[in-house]
Amino acid sequence: MRRLMYAAALFIVVTSGIVATGTSAQARVLDDGTPVGRDQYRVLMNQCRYADTEQLRSQCRSAVENDYRIGAENSSLDCRTYSGVTVCGNLMLSKREAACVQHSVTAGLTERRSEVECYALY
């Protein structure tokens, strides 16, 4: 009997939280992610192919799926194109790529350009 009362009390607490917030857990999941345009989302997914290893490529795709959703074009998304390669947002650089960026910046390239070129071409 006591377990039944605990279960009923827990059910009331959980359902009252959903009613009080006016949303469900599923609705919150669907609202997650920064809205970006369809083309921006495509760039974000496509840039994952440049990651150094299959594990990094998989992590990149998961991060895009979790952090972004297709919506309106996002003018604040940091997209850039160098040497024919377009990327958006933060790049997950490997140690080797980060060393390449540091070397390129020391040699006189901008950090933004170095990131893109070392990520995609190195």
Side-chain angles (χ1 to χ4, degrees):
M1 184 68 174
R2 188 176 285 205
R3 286 184 184 177
L4 182 59
M5 288 177 19
Y6 286 130
L10 181 60
F11 176 77
I12 290 169
V13 168
V14 169
T15 56
S16 66
I18 292 172
V19 171
T21 61
T23 185
S24 68
Q26 184 178 10
R28 279 191 293 266
V29 170
L30 294 175
D31 286 342
D32 282 351
T34 302
V36 294
R38 186 172 303 281
D39 290 338
Q40 290 173 317
Y41 190 85
R42 191 173 302 123
V43 167
L44 287 160
M45 287 302 276
N46 286 341
Q47 73 192 33
C48 293
R49 73 175 183 247
Y50 297 119
D52 247 3
T53 64
E54 182 54 43
Q55 181 180 1
L56 288 174
R57 288 187 288 275
S58 179
Q59 287 175 353
C60 178
R61 288 188 295 270
S62 293
V64 171
E65 289 170 351
N66 291 329
D67 296 344
Y68 301 97
R69 65 179 169 81
I70 296 174
E73 194 76 15
N74 187 335
S75 61
S76 65
L77 184 64
D78 180 23
C79 295
R80 56 244 186 242
T81 302
Y82 295 103
S83 301
V85 177
T86 301
V87 297
C88 293
N90 294 325
L91 301 176
M92 295 191 298
L93 300 175
S94 68
K95 289 180 182 180
R96 184 171 62 109
E97 292 163 339
C100 172
V101 170
Q102 188 174 22
H103 176 74
S104 296
V105 169
T106 302
L109 260 83
T110 65
E111 186 168 355
R112 288 170 56 81
R113 182 175 189 140
S114 297
E115 280 184 343
V116 173
E117 291 184 353
C118 290
Y119 182 68
L121 306 174
Y122 184 68

